[in-house]
PDB file of all heavy atoms in Angstrom:
ATOM      1  N   VAL A  40      -6.869 -24.289  47.185  1.00 87.00           N
ATOM      2  CA  VAL A  40      -7.880 -25.146  47.756  1.00 87.00           C
ATOM      3  C   VAL A  40      -7.395 -26.601  47.700  1.00 87.00           C
ATOM      4  O   VAL A  40      -6.907 -27.089  46.713  1.00 87.00           O
ATOM      5  CB  VAL A  40      -9.183 -25.013  46.966  1.00 87.00           C
ATOM      6  CG1 VAL A  40     -10.289 -25.925  47.558  1.00 87.00           C
ATOM      7  CG2 VAL A  40      -9.690 -23.536  47.039  1.00 87.00           C
ATOM      8  N   ASN A  41      -7.551 -27.283  48.829  1.00 83.00           N
ATOM      9  CA  ASN A  41      -7.312 -28.696  48.839  1.00 83.00           C
ATOM     10  C   ASN A  41      -8.598 -29.425  49.194  1.00 83.00           C
ATOM     11  O   ASN A  41      -9.466 -28.857  49.805  1.00 83.00           O
ATOM     12  CB  ASN A  41      -6.159 -29.092  49.806  1.00 83.00           C
ATOM     13  CG  ASN A  41      -6.479 -28.764  51.227  1.00 83.00           C
ATOM     14  OD1 ASN A  41      -6.334 -27.573  51.593  1.00 83.00           O
ATOM     15  ND2 ASN A  41      -6.799 -29.685  52.049  1.00 83.00           N
ATOM     16  N   GLY A  42      -8.681 -30.660  48.795  1.00 82.00           N
ATOM     17  CA  GLY A  42      -9.883 -31.453  49.092  1.00 82.00           C
ATOM     18  C   GLY A  42      -9.521 -32.916  49.172  1.00 82.00           C
ATOM     19  O   GLY A  42      -8.402 -33.276  49.494  1.00 82.00           O
ATOM     20  N   MET A  43     -10.466 -33.754  48.858  1.00 83.00           N
ATOM     21  CA  MET A  43     -10.302 -35.182  49.000  1.00 83.00           C
ATOM     22  C   MET A  43      -9.118 -35.735  48.203  1.00 83.00           C
ATOM     23  O   MET A  43      -8.428 -36.618  48.670  1.00 83.00           O
ATOM     24  CB  MET A  43     -11.584 -35.887  48.563  1.00 83.00           C
ATOM     25  CG  MET A  43     -12.775 -35.580  49.417  1.00 83.00           C
ATOM     26  SD  MET A  43     -12.626 -36.211  51.093  1.00 83.00           S
ATOM     27  CE  MET A  43     -13.030 -37.906  50.817  1.00 83.00           C
ATOM     28  N   GLU A  44      -8.854 -35.126  47.038  1.00 81.00           N
ATOM     29  CA  GLU A  44      -7.767 -35.645  46.208  1.00 81.00           C
ATOM     30  C   GLU A  44      -6.418 -35.497  46.901  1.00 81.00           C
ATOM     31  O   GLU A  44      -5.498 -36.271  46.676  1.00 81.00           O
ATOM     32  CB  GLU A  44      -7.687 -34.973  44.843  1.00 81.00           C
ATOM     33  CG  GLU A  44      -7.411 -33.467  44.878  1.00 81.00           C
ATOM     34  CD  GLU A  44      -8.531 -32.558  45.211  1.00 81.00           C
ATOM     35  OE1 GLU A  44      -9.662 -33.035  45.278  1.00 81.00           O
ATOM     36  OE2 GLU A  44      -8.298 -31.360  45.369  1.00 81.00           O
ATOM     37  N   LEU A  45      -6.278 -34.523  47.799  1.00 83.00           N
ATOM     38  CA  LEU A  45      -5.061 -34.357  48.585  1.00 83.00           C
ATOM     39  C   LEU A  45      -5.179 -35.009  49.941  1.00 83.00           C
ATOM     40  O   LEU A  45      -4.318 -35.750  50.391  1.00 83.00           O
ATOM     41  CB  LEU A  45      -4.701 -32.887  48.720  1.00 83.00           C
ATOM     42  CG  LEU A  45      -3.498 -32.576  49.602  1.00 83.00           C
ATOM     43  CD1 LEU A  45      -2.257 -33.231  49.089  1.00 83.00           C
ATOM     44  CD2 LEU A  45      -3.314 -31.087  49.729  1.00 83.00           C
ATOM     45  N   GLU A  46      -6.314 -34.796  50.576  1.00 84.00           N
ATOM     46  CA  GLU A  46      -6.456 -35.225  51.949  1.00 84.00           C
ATOM     47  C   GLU A  46      -6.541 -36.747  52.121  1.00 84.00           C
ATOM     48  O   GLU A  46      -6.286 -37.267  53.211  1.00 84.00           O
ATOM     49  CB  GLU A  46      -7.726 -34.595  52.560  1.00 84.00           C
ATOM     50  CG  GLU A  46      -7.578 -33.084  52.662  1.00 84.00           C
ATOM     51  CD  GLU A  46      -8.903 -32.395  52.982  1.00 84.00           C
ATOM     52  OE1 GLU A  46      -9.941 -33.071  53.109  1.00 84.00           O
ATOM     53  OE2 GLU A  46      -8.891 -31.171  53.103  1.00 84.00           O
ATOM     54  N   GLN A  47      -6.858 -37.492  51.086  1.00 86.00           N
ATOM     55  CA  GLN A  47      -6.947 -38.915  51.198  1.00 86.00           C
ATOM     56  C   GLN A  47      -5.690 -39.671  50.718  1.00 86.00           C
ATOM     57  O   GLN A  47      -5.722 -40.894  50.549  1.00 86.00           O
ATOM     58  CB  GLN A  47      -8.196 -39.420  50.432  1.00 86.00           C
ATOM     59  CG  GLN A  47      -9.488 -38.855  50.985  1.00 86.00           C
ATOM     60  CD  GLN A  47      -9.758 -39.293  52.399  1.00 86.00           C
ATOM     61  OE1 GLN A  47      -9.590 -40.425  52.732  1.00 86.00           O
ATOM     62  NE2 GLN A  47     -10.149 -38.357  53.246  1.00 86.00           N
ATOM     63  N   GLN A  48      -4.606 -38.942  50.472  1.00 85.00           N
ATOM     64  CA  GLN A  48      -3.381 -39.568  49.998  1.00 85.00           C
ATOM     65  C   GLN A  48      -2.516 -39.958  51.156  1.00 85.00           C
ATOM     66  O   GLN A  48      -2.604 -39.450  52.299  1.00 85.00           O
ATOM     67  CB  GLN A  48      -2.614 -38.581  49.083  1.00 85.00           C
ATOM     68  CG  GLN A  48      -3.408 -38.137  47.853  1.00 85.00           C
ATOM     69  CD  GLN A  48      -3.807 -39.317  46.986  1.00 85.00           C
ATOM     70  OE1 GLN A  48      -3.008 -40.193  46.752  1.00 85.00           O
ATOM     71  NE2 GLN A  48      -5.054 -39.364  46.559  1.00 85.00           N
ATOM     72  N   ARG A  49      -1.586 -40.856  50.899  1.00 86.00           N
ATOM     73  CA  ARG A  49      -0.654 -41.371  51.917  1.00 86.00           C
ATOM     74  C   ARG A  49       0.156 -40.223  52.541  1.00 86.00           C
ATOM     75  O   ARG A  49       0.421 -40.214  53.716  1.00 86.00           O
ATOM     76  CB  ARG A  49       0.279 -42.369  51.263  1.00 86.00           C
ATOM     77  CG  ARG A  49       1.241 -43.016  52.248  1.00 86.00           C
ATOM     78  CD  ARG A  49       2.106 -44.069  51.602  1.00 86.00           C
ATOM     79  NE  ARG A  49       1.275 -45.088  51.004  1.00 86.00           N
ATOM     80  CZ  ARG A  49       1.548 -45.691  49.843  1.00 86.00           C
ATOM     81  NH1 ARG A  49       2.579 -45.345  49.175  1.00 86.00           N
ATOM     82  NH2 ARG A  49       0.766 -46.600  49.365  1.00 86.00           N
ATOM     83  N   ASN A  50       0.521 -39.241  51.719  1.00 86.00           N
ATOM     84  CA  ASN A  50       1.354 -38.128  52.216  1.00 86.00           C
ATOM     85  C   ASN A  50       0.519 -36.828  52.373  1.00 86.00           C
ATOM     86  O   ASN A  50       1.034 -35.746  52.097  1.00 86.00           O
ATOM     87  CB  ASN A  50       2.526 -37.882  51.288  1.00 86.00           C
ATOM     88  CG  ASN A  50       3.514 -39.052  51.280  1.00 86.00           C
ATOM     89  OD1 ASN A  50       3.766 -39.660  52.294  1.00 86.00           O
ATOM     90  ND2 ASN A  50       4.021 -39.371  50.106  1.00 86.00           N
ATOM     91  N   ALA A  51      -0.729 -37.003  52.815  1.00 89.00           N
ATOM     92  CA  ALA A  51      -1.614 -35.846  52.911  1.00 89.00           C
ATOM     93  C   ALA A  51      -1.068 -34.751  53.796  1.00 89.00           C
ATOM     94  O   ALA A  51      -1.097 -33.541  53.408  1.00 89.00           O
ATOM     95  CB  ALA A  51      -3.009 -36.285  53.446  1.00 89.00           C
TER      96      ALA A  51
END
Side-chain angles (χ1 to χ4, degrees):
V40 179
N41 61 283
M43 296 293 281
E44 66 280 352
L45 176 59
E46 294 169 0
Q47 299 298 314
Q48 300 301 315
R49 183 177 302 140
N50 294 323

